[in-house]
Amino acid sequence: MSAEAPSRRIELTMHKPWFALYAGIRPTLVLAGRGQPTQWGLGTWQVPADETVTLGVFLFNRLWRFGQAEHTLAPDDLALEYRAPALPFLPGRIRPAPHSRAPHA
């Protein structure tokens, strides 16, 4: 058996608009090609510590995917924000968060 690769935790804050033309939709996070249902608000995710990782988010309403956004994490990224669109045919946005609540090493 091989030793596990070092990992780190990143923060991802999911923001939904205060007014949207859709209801009851939750985001899906895609890490390393695997989709994981998530919730709105702050969450932490484990990613490899020494590699770049592509992170994607989309919304799904039984008919189509929308609000898609993708970001490539650098090894020193700690926190990101996803902002969902107000209209179900627009893309979402992922950007580095202005601050992180994660402890710094």
Side-chain angles (χ1 to χ4, degrees), residues 14-17 22 25-28 38 40 57-62 64-69 82-85 87-88 90 92:
M14 305 281 207
H15 295 284
K16 64 180 174 180
Y22 53 88
I25 306 262
R26 292 202 173 132
T28 299
T38 65
W40 297 108
V57 178
F58 67 88
L59 307 172
F60 180 73
N61 73 351
R62 296 188 189 211
W64 69 88
R65 290 165 64 154
F66 66 97
Q68 294 177 342
Y82 168 78
R83 296 215 175 255
L87 301 172
L90 295 175

Side-chain angles (χ1 to χ4, degrees), residues 34-48:
R34 301 181 106 182
Q36 304 170 35
T38 65
Q39 298 181 21
W40 297 108
L42 178 66
T44 60
W45 300 91
Q46 188 171 343
V47 297

